[in-house]
Amino acid sequence: MPANLDIDLLRSWLAVADSGTLSRAAQRVHRTQSALSLQMQRLEAVVGQPLLLRTGRGVRLTAAGERLREHAQRLLALHDQALADLAEDPLSGVLRFGCPDDYAVRFLPPLLRGFAHRHPRVLVEVVCAPTPQLRQALARRELDLALVSVAEPATARGLLRTEPLVWVGAPGGEALRADPLPLALSGPETQDHQAALAALAGAGRRHRLAYASSSLAGLLAVVRSGQAISVLTQTAVPEDLLVLGDGAGLPPLPTLGIVLAHDRPRPSPVAQAFEALVQELLPGA
């Protein structure tokens, strides 16, 4: 009897091929690393040749592995499409979605609530991180979709909305009168960090970095203490903090664009459904 390519094996195989390590792939398919390794051995036995080369940094695909990857993508797409066409509830599975902290506060609740109502059989896994980290995760195919910021909204493809960056401080805080100006900013690779330093340098305003973190909660705690000011997207400013306007003597900041980035040119049906909801809700949020 000829060997058969099991759908579960192929799904696990694609997770390994996309992730580049068994440990990351195991998290993605919700299996232990040892169980996933046994699956890969079974698949190699079915096809009759090695598919993976183990290295110190993870795994690489053999030539046969590269060919199987292309076949597996097509087979799984057809399999999932067939199930979706025949099922009462057409969508099921897992969607891995990334979003920066400042957008999560405003946009995630209606997105998750609306998607769960429309597609209750889909599990949405959320990762909150700065845009550079989300883009890296997309490149490693650890995420299916992510909301990310772009520095040039006017030229951005698929622009969903724009968000101005604003200076933020605590009511009655002393930071604005300090020289040099104390700042609480996200990581140096982020656009709000770079925009703040560029604006202050252009205005000739002396400043110092008092606190740097990718944690929005940490930044807000420092700002609430009155010991530093920060830069946020306007949508993320909490009610208990002040937007420091023109009267504060601070230089203007740019406006960012928000786009939805994909991990591949042809998103899955689940990813397409989530993208449709994002395009519906975000512009009016």
Side-chain angles (χ1 to χ4, degrees), residues 207-220:
H207 54 275
R208 65 180 180 87
L209 190 59
Y211 181 83
S213 172
S214 60
S215 165
L216 180 61
L219 292 179
L220 293 178

Side-chain angles (χ1 to χ4, degrees), residues 34-55:
S34 59
L36 185 62
S37 182
L38 287 174
Q39 279 194 310
M40 296 304 98
Q41 292 174 27
R42 285 173 53 200
L43 187 58
E44 288 179 328
V46 168
V47 301
Q49 54 186 311
L51 301 171
L52 295 171
L53 296 174
R54 273 71 172 177
T55 70

